[in-house]
Structures are given as structure tokens and as C-alpha cells.
Amino acid sequence: MTDDRRLTPRSEDFAAWYNEVVLRAELADYSPVRGSMVIRPWGYGIWENMQRALDDLFKETGHENAYFPLLIPMSFIEKEKEHVEGFKPELAVVTHAGGKDLEEPLVIRPTSETIIYSMYSKWVQSYRDLPLLLNQWANVMRWELRTRLFLRTSEFLWQEGHTAHATAEEAEEETRRMLGVYRTFMEEWIAMPPLTGLKSESEKFAGAVRSYSCEALMQDNRALQAGTSHFLGQNFAKQFDLTFQSEAGEEEYAWNTSWGVSTRLVGGMVLTHGDDDGVVVPPRLAPAQVVVVPIARGEDGGAVREKAESLRLQLKDAGVRVRVDARDHLSPGAKFYEWERKGVPIRLEVGPKDLAKEQVVLVNRVELEGEKRKQFLPEDEAVKSLPGRLDRLQAHLLARAVQRREENTRRGAASIDELADHFEDGAGFVYTGWSGDPGVEEEVKERTKATIRCIPDPDFRSSTPPERCVGGEKAEMEVVWARAY
RNA sequence: CGGGGCGUGGCGCAGCACGGUAGCGCGCCUGCUUUGGGAGCAGGAGGUCCCCGGUUCGAAUCCGGGCGCCCCGACCA
């Protein structure tokens, strides 16, 4: 009999660990429909914090929110040739409604470029109407054959930004700006440091001219595409007649961008920070940053509960998200395990012994082992130090993730054999030269299952550019390979 | 879409080869005692054994068909 209160350790079966931790931390649950999931309050609370932070960043960069409908005429999707090719296999289509067959099938949006740019064409007449910078928070549906909680489900929540500009340069700048916003958000909130760069032709978004992405390395050394930003050129503008009159009086097609991140980020957070005890939620995302567990024993019970409540109020005033776990039917130990599984950053314990000494017990989620795991602190010091402790924990998680990424990154491989060796050795990201030949990309994929995650941005490039492609030809660029989610 | 696994109280499972009163752990409810790392005792509630058909005096168990979910591979935020 195994102890089913424990999670399967990551080292034993990483995929099993992930499923268990998501279910048992009550982030999400399976729904009756295959491949779709219910996001539970703890998971949704994390998503809400992500939304709030991202939404602020979008507003700061000049965007407004709007909402476009769920149902899109099939003919819209079919207008852009590459777009329809990319999405056709995963479309869910409404053919029947109100007791009758529909004249034209309606697609449940897999993404909203078509409906949005068709509306933009109505709203934009002059260069004075540009740029048009909108975002929407929505659900989308892509019929997936193989699904995983948060990482790939048929329905998921995301935001999609869609902008229209007068010039290609301005649109390109917007594409890059939003990629940067994503990078900042991932580093500073999720403490998940991504690699950013340009997608290869074979990996880019269907319908885009160029796609950029954020690629984060998970604990099992697989890469997660965590956010994308696309320069759409005039592809959609031409199909939906999105034109404007320029300053010079000429009619021109607008230039578009689109960019998105999804609830997949919650999965990325789990895969980046989680451990064998459960999820670890970075303080800036935690629905509860501190949980106070009163050990309300015997005659002191009332006084202990009052102390817990007083701690809650003090911390709330200090700007900390805090809750008291006053449930009476669970032992303190059971509560400790539960909140550790859910990943609350800091726990405070207060019991009869602490009352007399005016102290509290503080436990940090990432320091559960060893002598120092429980710190005994004077109450006022604990309260005063908490915001700083949360900040340091946030910084620690990022530093730890950066270090893990660097330790699992290899630079240079003269041949596909060497590249394969790196992956045999358990590498995460591998940097090599590339000629730009899709044949080489295909060959590497067959040999190693790794794909080009991106052509890295300057921040991430090797100090000396590679001279040779892994295929043997002259290298035209540096690329990063990884096995991807 | 191919391969594997599973479907039995809320959850996790046993029972099935050999048909005969449906069981265990956890959870849940009530009461009392408890509370510093997954509380104890006592009492209690809760089941169309995935569905349909067949064999049989009798099916969770045998036979046929179907459905669903999970996991592993080809396509993908």
C-alpha cells in the first residue's frame, strides 16, 4: 500500500506528478467533456492575479479592452489561406441551432483575427483612426486530440491583443513591445524566465508574416511556449478590406499585430516551481500570500483565535493577502500539508505557547526541510518583515529558475549527432548554428524529437556566433533547440 | 487517429480465472474527548457494480455489442 496522501515524486514519473499536483492542489478538475477542464477557485485566483497584472501592463502601453463574439462565420475563417489551413483540423463548428440546420456553419472561435479585422475595416477610414490598440479577454476552442490540464485543453482562457497600424515599422515595433511585456510579466510575476526570439517558418502562427515567442524551460527540461506575438503584415487587412486613407491621400492597407497568453501560464508556473510537496505559487500571484493557522488548544483557544485575527488585520493593513484557517475539524498538521500542497508562500502558526512569549512561528514554502524551517519570531517583527520576506521569496524563485535554465543549456554542436548527444545527456535548451534549411530542421526533429524553439533575441545569443549549421552548411543564424510541450 | 489501462458508495481500490446476501481504506453525518506535522473512540448515512442485450434458477463476475475517461505515440496557444 502506497501512502496516497503523498504525491508521486517528480523523479519517479514527472507526468503523473503534474496531474496529481494540479488535481490535489485543487487548481483544476476534469469536466465531463473529454479534454476540457474546470478551473477551481485556487487555480482561478492565480489566473485572476495574472490577468490583473497583464491588464495593467496592457493599459500602460495604450491598449483598451473590448469583447468580440464567440461565434464566427465559417466563411471568415476561410478567407486567409494559411490561417484556415492552420486551424481547420481543430475547429469546432455549430451547424444546427434553433431546431434547424444553419445556412452557414458557425465556428467557435479558435482565435479572433478574422472577426476582429472585419470589424476594424468598418471602424478605420483615416490614418487618424490609427493605431487601433485593442485587447480582449476570452475563451477559445481548439479541438485537441491529446490534452493535459492547463497545458493543452480544448477550451482555454486567454487574452488576445489585436492592433492596426499605418506602417509596417510601427506594427513591427508593437509586436516587439508586447513580446517584451510578456517577458517582463513572466519574469517579475511568474518568476519564470523565458527565452525570447523569432519563430522559424515552420513553427510560426498560421497567417502571420513573423511570429515571436517566449519559451520557458520546465523542470523536466522540456520547453513551454508561454506566449506569442505576431507581426501579421497586411495578410488579414487584405482579406477583410482593412484600409485607410493616408496623410498623402492614398488608400492603403493597415498593418496588424496579434499577441496572446493563456491559462497555460498556470501550468507553466506549476512546472517551473512545483516540488514533491505540491505547487509553489510565487508571492505576487498567490491568492493568499500568508495563511495563519491558529493552534487553538484547550482553554487558550479563544485567545489564540483572537491573536490569529489580529495578525490577519495587521498583515492586511501592510498590504499582504492573508487568510486565517480557522476550520475546527482539521488538526494543525492536516492544514500545514494542505496549504503546502497549494503552495501558499508563507505560513504563520500561533498557539498557546506563543501567546505568552508574544511570538509567532513562520514557515517559508520553499524551506520545508532542515532545522531552520520553523522560525520563532517576535510578533511585531514577523508582521513588519513579511512584505520583505515575500519580495525575497519572489526574487529567490526567479533566481533559482534562471540558474536551472542556465545549468540545462548547452551551447554549440557541430553536427546533428552532437546535438542528439546533448539531448541524450538530458539537456534542455541547445544552441547551434542553422543555415535556415527546413530540411535540417526536419531531420533534427526525426532524430531527437527536438524542434527549433526560436532564433534568439540579442539578449540571449551566444557571445560568439556559430559558424556552422548542424547540418554542415554555413550558419546563417543561431537557433535554440528543445523538446517542447 | 493508432497502442495500453481503467470503469464497483464522494475519492482510492478489492472482489471477477472458480456465478450464490457487495466489501475495505479515506472522506461524510452525530456525540464525546482532542488540536505545535495528515486526531481518537462510539454510533450512523450513503450503491441502477458504465450502458444495452444474451447465457443461467441466479450475473459485479461468463458471452456479444456499445459508451466514457485516463495514460503513451503522430498534429498543436
Side-chain angles (χ1 to χ4, degrees):
Chain A
M1 268 287 246
T2 58
D3 184 354
D4 60 7
R5 294 178 305 187
R6 285 223 157 69
L7 299 168
T8 299
R10 289 162 297 172
S11 57
E12 191 177 300
D13 185 341
F14 195 83
W17 167 82
Y18 178 79
N19 285 327
E20 285 174 29
V21 83
V22 168
L23 294 171
R24 298 210 35 225
E26 298 180 356
L27 296 175
D29 203 351
Y30 293 105
S31 88
V33 176
R34 182 168 67 91
S36 59
M37 64 185 268
V38 175
I39 304 176
R40 300 183 68 178
W42 188 248
Y44 200 78
I46 293 167
W47 175 241
E48 283 179 310
N49 287 333
M50 289 183 177
Q51 278 186 301
R52 193 168 302 122
L54 282 164
D55 206 60
D56 287 346
L57 291 167
F58 298 157
K59 302 277 169 61
E60 279 170 26
T61 43
H63 304 84
E64 291 182 291
N65 285 329
Y67 184 78
F68 294 83
L70 173 72
L71 296 175
I72 298 176
M74 179 61 101
S75 58
F76 278 37
I77 300 281
E78 286 170 342
K79 274 200 175 178
E80 214 287 337
K81 204 166 131 275
E82 283 184 47
H83 194 60
V84 64
E85 286 307 312
F87 281 106
K88 198 112 201 197
E90 40 192 69
L91 293 180
V93 183
V94 179
T95 57
H96 200 256
K100 295 190 291 195
D101 285 342
L102 295 174
E103 272 187 34
E104 180 180 358
L106 299 173
V107 171
I108 300 175
R109 65 179 161 224
T111 179
S112 304
E113 275 75 7
T114 58
I115 186 83
I116 288 179
Y117 299 127
S118 77
M119 296 308 297
Y120 281 13
S121 75
K122 204 170 154 181
W123 300 336
V124 172
Q125 272 107 50
S126 150
Y127 70 95
R128 296 181 207 276
D129 298 322
L130 297 174
L132 183 49
L133 309 173
L134 300 187
N135 174 66
Q136 83 163 341
W137 291 95
N139 57 341
V140 287
M141 175 157 283
R142 300 177 186 179
W143 209 255
E144 296 288 350
L145 299 173
R146 182 128 155 58
T147 62
R148 298 196 71 186
L149 293 167
F150 287 110
L151 301 172
R152 175 161 295 106
T153 49
S154 286
E155 181 187 1
F156 57 90
L157 304 183
W158 77 344
Q159 58 69 218
E160 44 182 325
H162 293 275
T163 68
H165 306 263
T167 66
E169 294 69 32
E170 204 185 301
E172 175 71 22
E173 193 186 330
E174 165 80 359
T175 310
R176 302 283 321 178
R177 178 184 304 118
M178 299 321 288
L179 186 75
V181 164
Y182 286 153
R183 177 182 169 186
T184 300
F185 169 73
M186 289 176 202
E187 289 173 350
E188 295 186 4
W189 272 264
I190 315 179
M192 180 177 80
L195 181 66
T196 64
L198 181 68
K199 281 292 191 187
S200 70
E201 200 60 20
S202 69
E203 295 273 334
K204 74 169 197 210
F205 173 71
V209 173
R210 275 190 291 283
S211 290
Y212 298 88
S213 74
C214 292
E215 303 281 334
L217 194 61
M218 304 292 103
Q219 287 186 69
D220 59 349
N221 268 344
R222 290 170 70 193
L224 184 74
Q225 181 172 300
T228 49
S229 186
H230 313 289
F231 172 70
L232 302 174
Q234 296 175 312
N235 289 349
F236 288 91
K238 284 180 179 167
Q239 295 311 319
F240 291 93
D241 206 31
L242 170 47
T243 58
F244 67 97
Q245 207 165 9
S246 72
E247 240 175 309
E250 311 267 321
E251 189 179 33
E252 295 178 16
Y253 288 110
W255 300 82
N256 297 115
T257 82
S258 70
W259 27 274
V261 295
S262 71
T263 38
R264 179 179 248 197
L265 290 173
V266 178
M269 179 201 80
V270 172
L271 290 168
T272 299
H273 302 299
D275 62 25
D276 291 347
D277 297 311
V279 172
V280 174
V281 186
R284 294 184 87 174
L285 294 178
Q289 296 170 308
V290 174
V291 63
V292 181
V293 178
I295 293 129
R297 191 175 48 195
E299 290 171 11
D300 298 314
V304 168
R305 275 185 282 265
E306 278 171 34
K307 179 59 71 182
E309 181 58 14
S310 141
L311 283 166
R312 187 182 74 81
L313 292 172
Q314 291 178 71
L315 287 169
K316 185 170 170 257
D317 285 347
V320 173
R321 290 191 290 273
V322 53
R323 61 177 80 167
V324 175
D325 187 349
R327 290 175 295 177
D328 208 33
H329 62 286
L330 291 180
S331 72
K335 294 177 186 176
F336 299 164
Y337 282 110
E338 179 174 331
W339 292 113
E340 283 164 11
R341 204 178 307 119
K342 288 188 162 182
V344 170
I346 287 175
R347 174 174 80 242
L348 294 180
E349 303 168 20
V350 54
K353 291 183 218 161
D354 306 312
L355 284 186
K357 301 185 208 164
E358 294 191 330
Q359 69 172 21
V360 296
V361 179
L362 183 149
V363 182
N364 180 318
R365 175 59 182 82
V366 299
E367 292 166 359
L368 297 177
E369 306 297 327
E371 291 295 308
K372 284 193 297 187
R373 64 176 199 151
K374 292 207 181 192
Q375 297 183 56
F376 300 83
L377 300 170
E379 180 191 333
D380 54 349
E381 188 192 319
V383 169
K384 220 183 316 161
S385 68
L386 254 165
R389 287 175 190 274
L390 291 168
D391 288 346
R392 285 196 295 281
L393 177 55
Q394 181 82 33
H396 168 74
L397 291 176
L398 177 60
R400 190 172 76 168
V402 169
Q403 188 185 349
R404 180 170 53 71
R405 183 187 68 194
E406 294 313 308
E407 284 170 357
N408 291 289
T409 295
R410 306 279 180 275
R411 286 175 198 267
S415 64
I416 296 178
D417 280 341
E418 269 186 45
L419 182 54
D421 286 345
H422 283 309
F423 287 114
E424 292 289 307
D425 286 348
F429 285 140
V430 179
Y431 284 68
T432 76
W434 186 45
S435 60
D437 175 9
V440 172
E441 201 179 3
E442 193 50 41
E443 207 181 325
V444 170
K445 190 175 174 182
E446 270 176 39
R447 274 287 312 274
T448 68
K449 305 214 191 256
T451 49
I452 294 178
R453 299 325 301 155
C454 67
I455 298 150
D457 286 335
D459 282 6
F460 299 99
R461 281 179 207 156
S462 302
S463 43
T464 49
E467 287 172 18
R468 317 264 10 137
C469 171
V470 279
E473 309 88 331
K474 181 174 180 302
E476 295 296 330
M477 64 197 93
E478 183 169 38
V479 294
V480 181
W481 304 85
R483 291 173 175 152
Y485 265 94

